Amino acid sequence: MTGAAGRVVAGRYELATVLGQGGMGQVWTAYDQRLDRRVAVKLLRPDKVAGQDAEELRRRFVRECRVTAQVDHPGLVTVHDAGSEGEELFLVMQYIDGADLAGHLAEHTPYPWQWAVAVAAQLCAVLSAVHAVPIVHRDLKPRNVMVKQDGTVTVLDLGVASVMDADTTRLTHTGTPIGSPAYMAPEQAMGGAVGPYTDLYALGVVLHELLSGDVPFSGSTALGVLHRHLYEPPLPVRRIRPEVPEALEDLVLRLLAKDPQHRPASAQEVYEHLELLLPARGTPTGAALDPTRPFLRPHAPWPDRARTPAPQPTPATPVTDTPGQTDIARAVDEVKRLLGEGRVTQAVDILGGILPAAAEQHGAHSPVVRTLRKQYAATLLDDGQYRRALPELRRLADERAAEAGQADPQALRFRYEAAQCLEQLGEPAAALAEYRAVLPYYENQYVAAGGPELAHDVRRRIGHLLLALGDRGAAHDTLARLLHDVERTHGPGHPLGAEIRRTLHWLGQVRG
């Protein structure tokens, strides 16, 4: 698929960074140059999708545009534009400022049961609107749900939805089953008829996960997970979280019924049950991403919004194919301005665009290019673009080590940040190896400034990576030794020590 940062789609939407990639193509953050706002753009190249009929994919994509635009609900992502450009199809959608529900759950474990109720109630409102079209979402899961800064919930990706008519039924039966195994209803797993009751089952899986911390059925293979959906009863959530109201546990078990006829009749009915458990009107905490806030003070303004506005990037200054010194200097000034305003994503685009020209003009190893590359790597890291940041940081680390030695503080910092990228990219073994490689330099006092603090941080990360890799014994020993050193250096009240003690307590329970 074509498409790179800086490309302008339909003469208007400037692509910035890839948000994700799936069966229907790529999703990018982009800048609407006409209206000066951030948007999300989905691109599809039907003739380049291996193993699929290009014309069928084109029809599915066109249907996605029409279907999503039919549903008018604040809990659904808004469609702004759609069309084709050359061999590609594009769909322009609202950009959501917030966190996906999976990340939100990970950041707030254990998830308060009141939050779970508030999320589920909002999802019921969305599903009621979707099912009225009638549409079946087919792929409701935490990764397809965003919690916005004001606590409201937005459902993404109706692109895999099925409009319930004969033509669509034929279309969806020609490909592989749509959906995610962990959230797939038994009838969907068996390739049977789906309906609103299928989304209600997925809602039950999501609720179970929010309340217990895990999906009701997991396994090493997709077939194994689907088999459990078909034949195993779910574990009642009160056995894991006794504080969950009995009525809520009963509702989750009804949603997870194997037979669709035994589930609630509609999303509206589910909402009526959840409404009894919603928090009463009151004063919100003021914190962002609290899903109970819309019920505590419906439609109330969010006071923090005026102090911490969401970034609204402006389009980048175009850089010509062979920019001169003035163009590079202007671009650098633009980057400084964007970074000063917190517009990190677009600053990344500009830095990436001027680096090749600057290297050609000044030399790849010149001080000006080295400075630009450092800023580029740091900005990528700030923007969470770990896959792009990793090779830049590795290259900077190797060059600096060749010039100043392996123990050079700057070279070590680049390697430390590269290890962070590996950790974020889900490569724990590689991250562990990198952290272990830099740790001796910090422990041996080669780095005077910040050495002990960084050494403690590296050791903490090593302990958690060992845990992620399943070596609980080594993780326990690593963290126990670290706790001793932290308390000897900072005393028993240090926050890092408290964090380590909590992890060790949990590890002790697991090992016991």
Side-chain angles (χ1 to χ4, degrees):
M1 174 173 298
T2 60
R7 174 193 166 197
V8 178
V9 175
R12 177 174 177 178
Y13 307 107
E14 182 183 350
L15 301 184
T17 56
V18 177
L19 283 174
Q21 188 161 343
M24 291 299 293
Q26 291 179 328
V27 180
W28 291 75
T29 57
Y31 307 97
D32 183 345
Q33 295 177 335
R34 187 176 302 168
L35 296 179
D36 190 18
R37 63 179 174 180
R38 176 176 285 192
V39 293
V41 175
K42 176 176 280 191
L43 297 175
L44 172 67
R45 183 76 183 270
D47 59 322
K48 297 295 184 182
V49 181
Q52 296 287 335
D53 179 76
E55 187 56 34
E56 179 182 325
L57 282 174
R58 187 179 295 273
R59 291 162 64 192
R60 285 188 182 181
F61 187 84
V62 171
R63 186 179 70 247
E64 172 182 4
C65 301
R66 293 173 179 168
V67 166
T68 309
Q70 284 182 47
V71 190
D72 182 17
H73 193 279
L76 278 172
V77 66
T78 302
V79 175
H80 295 314
D81 196 3
S84 61
E85 185 172 80
E87 296 296 323
E88 282 184 317
L89 302 168
F90 67 87
L91 176 65
V92 183
M93 299 166 286
Q94 169 191 11
Y95 175 80
I96 304 297
D97 177 26
D100 70 53
L101 186 56
H104 195 244
L105 172 60
E107 290 290 327
H108 298 90
T109 301
Y111 209 70
W113 68 261
Q114 296 89 344
W115 284 24
V117 169
V119 168
Q122 294 189 62
L123 291 177
C124 284
V126 176
L127 290 176
S128 289
V130 168
H131 294 162
V133 173
I135 301 169
V136 182
H137 189 288
R138 289 174 168 252
D139 198 21
L140 184 67
K141 58 186 177 183
R143 289 292 180 196
N144 278 341
V145 177
M146 295 289 292
V147 182
K148 296 170 68 175
Q149 297 291 339
D150 64 356
T152 56
V153 165
T154 302
V155 176
L156 309 177
D157 203 359
L158 279 180
V160 295
S162 168
V163 180
M164 293 186 293
D165 58 37
D167 180 61
T168 301
T169 302
R170 287 196 297 272
L171 275 175
T172 55
H173 285 176
T174 59
T176 56
I178 296 173
S180 303
Y183 304 89
M184 194 175 288
E187 65 274 10
Q188 191 176 8
M190 294 294 289
V194 299
Y197 44 81
T198 307
D199 286 341
L200 295 184
Y201 184 92
L203 176 64
V205 177
V206 172
L207 249 180
H208 187 285
E209 183 175 8
L210 294 177
L211 293 169
S212 70
D214 201 0
V215 293
F217 306 114
S218 58
S220 57
T221 66
L223 286 177
V225 174
L226 296 178
H227 183 274
R228 296 187 67 191
H229 277 293
L230 288 167
Y231 301 110
E232 290 188 20
L235 180 70
V237 293
R238 281 167 54 84
R239 297 188 188 177
I240 306 168
R241 296 276 300 280
E243 70 272 22
V244 171
E246 186 175 350
L248 183 55
E249 178 187 73
D250 291 342
L251 180 61
V252 173
L253 292 174
R254 284 185 63 203
L255 288 166
L256 293 175
K258 308 298 183 187
D259 185 345
Q261 300 302 313
H262 295 158
R263 297 173 203 156
S266 65
Q268 174 72 30
E269 180 184 326
V270 179
Y271 183 90
E272 301 298 338
H273 288 288
L274 292 170
E275 187 179 21
L276 302 174
L277 301 169
L278 286 170
R281 298 286 183 91
T283 302
T285 62
L289 302 171
D290 179 353
T292 64
R293 190 183 185 282
F295 300 98
L296 294 171
R297 294 189 68 192
H299 304 293
W302 182 22
D304 292 344
R305 245 355 220 183
R307 295 195 294 272
T308 57
Q312 293 293 329
T314 56
T317 301
V319 179
T320 60
D321 291 336
T322 56
Q325 180 68 37
T326 303
D327 298 307
I328 294 174
R330 188 187 307 121
V332 169
D333 289 340
E334 177 75 355
V335 167
K336 291 178 181 177
R337 182 184 69 81
L338 291 169
L339 291 176
E341 296 174 1
R343 301 177 179 181
V344 180
T345 302
Q346 197 165 6
V348 166
D349 295 342
I350 297 175
L351 282 167
I354 64 175
L355 265 171
E360 182 178 350
Q361 186 174 110
H362 298 280
H365 302 287
S366 64
V368 64
V369 171
R370 184 71 62 84
T371 300
L372 285 172
R373 286 177 47 223
K374 289 177 185 176
Q375 183 66 71
Y376 183 50
T379 310
L380 284 168
L381 201 62
D382 287 344
D383 201 33
Q385 298 192 51
Y386 303 109
R387 199 168 300 281
R388 292 173 67 186
L390 181 59
E392 298 293 335
L393 290 166
R394 281 175 164 165
R395 182 178 169 191
L396 287 167
D398 291 343
E399 291 177 358
R400 182 66 184 177
E403 295 170 357
Q406 294 289 340
D408 175 74
Q410 197 171 60
L412 290 172
R413 186 72 194 187
F414 290 140
R415 293 185 67 182
Y416 168 80
E417 291 173 345
Q420 286 183 304
C421 289
L422 290 166
E423 197 174 349
Q424 293 293 330
L425 290 170
E427 300 181 31
L432 178 61
E434 193 67 45
Y435 283 131
R436 281 175 164 168
V438 300
L439 180 59
Y441 295 104
Y442 292 120
E443 289 187 321
N444 293 336
Q445 302 299 312
Y446 282 121
V447 184
E453 295 299 329
L454 277 172
H456 288 164
D457 182 67
V458 170
R459 291 169 64 189
R460 178 186 64 83
R461 290 175 181 271
I462 287 173
H464 283 283
L465 286 168
L466 287 168
L467 184 58
L469 290 167
D471 195 343
R472 289 176 175 158
H476 186 279
D477 293 344
T478 298
L479 293 173
R481 290 195 300 269
L482 174 58
L483 178 61
H484 176 267
D485 292 343
V486 168
E487 291 184 338
R488 185 180 60 185
T489 304
H490 300 289
H494 194 270
L496 178 58
E499 177 190 333
I500 297 168
R501 277 194 295 274
R502 284 194 296 271
T503 305
L504 287 172
H505 176 71
W506 178 81
L507 269 173
Q509 289 182 324
V510 172
R511 296 173 84 193

